[in-house]
Amino acid sequence: MSTGRQVMIERFAFFLTFLPGLILGLTLHEASHAYASAALGDNLAKDKGRLTLNPLKHLSLLGTLALFILGFGWAKPVPVNPFNYQNPKKDYLLSSLAGPASNLAICVISALLIRMSGINSFEQEAGIWVSILIGTYFVNAILAVINLMPIPPLDGSKIWPCIIPGVKLVMPAKVTMGSYLALVMLVVTGAIEPVILSLLTFFKSALFFGV
């Protein structure tokens, strides 16, 4: 087998270890927004068929294609009307936090299962299931942190206005679209890579902390 082909196969196998965790993370993230929003009195997501754990209802075709092309993808945002809530600021904050919280929960559970497997170092050889757990841990750790950034359409752009007095809950569509394009450019140009690498280093240390 040629070296180039072997490298491609290894990269593809490496990517596959992250894919299950990514699908799980994106699906549970959006479903958590939908369930939390419905529980707090806004049925917009329910009416749009998003009150489900079916990945096909949450994954975006364009976002999935971008994942394979750019190495960065996204799911379909859950529609929310904060003015349907009894307490718009507090309830919008809770429904917005539900997504990152679900990723953090997956991250913690994955870390516990990895430690229970007996793997306590990245130098140890891990089987396929442990490798998938490690991929799930890292993907959801990054999803939880990145989504707290105050850049539309990330959850942070909805969370921080609920905390900071005087800031409008809903940003104008032009601002959201402009921020979205800026985020895509950060990914395409690789400008966000140092942030991702720093997060990976931090969570790598956190996983086996104290061992």
Side-chain angles (χ1 to χ4, degrees), residues 23-186:
I23 293 174
L24 173 64
L26 291 175
T27 300
L28 196 58
H29 181 105
E30 299 302 338
S32 295
H33 282 313
Y35 280 104
S37 191
L40 293 166
D42 176 31
N43 288 319
L44 184 57
K46 181 180 179 181
D47 295 339
K48 296 290 185 179
R50 303 296 298 278
L51 212 63
T52 175
L53 293 175
N54 181 357
L56 297 178
K57 294 291 185 178
H58 298 294
L59 297 182
S60 161
L61 178 59
L62 184 59
T64 304
L65 289 174
L67 175 65
F68 288 97
I69 298 171
L70 303 175
F72 174 85
W74 59 87
K76 291 184 288 187
V78 166
V80 171
N81 184 352
F83 301 107
N84 285 335
Y85 299 136
Q86 187 173 0
N87 188 328
K89 272 208 168 184
K90 185 193 75 173
D91 295 344
Y92 196 32
L93 173 63
L94 293 174
S95 66
S96 298
L97 283 170
S102 69
N103 295 125
L104 183 60
I106 294 172
C107 179
V108 171
I109 292 170
S110 299
L112 291 173
L113 291 174
I114 292 165
R115 295 295 292 268
M116 289 170 61
S117 73
I119 297 292
N120 55 27
S121 167
F122 283 101
E123 281 66 47
Q124 285 183 252
E125 186 175 347
I128 182 63
W129 294 112
V130 176
S131 296
I132 289 174
L133 281 173
I134 291 173
T136 300
Y137 167 81
F138 280 118
V139 164
N140 282 276
I142 291 174
L143 283 175
V145 174
I146 291 295
N147 267 288
L148 294 178
M149 295 173 63
I151 305 174
L154 300 177
D155 294 324
S157 66
K158 304 166 189 174
I159 292 169
W160 298 112
C162 296
I163 299 173
I164 303 172
V167 180
K168 292 183 178 180
L169 287 183
V170 181
M171 292 188 180
K174 289 183 179 179
V175 175
T176 301
M177 181 57 67
S179 300
Y180 178 78
L181 292 175
L183 182 61
V184 171
M185 288 303 298
L186 286 174

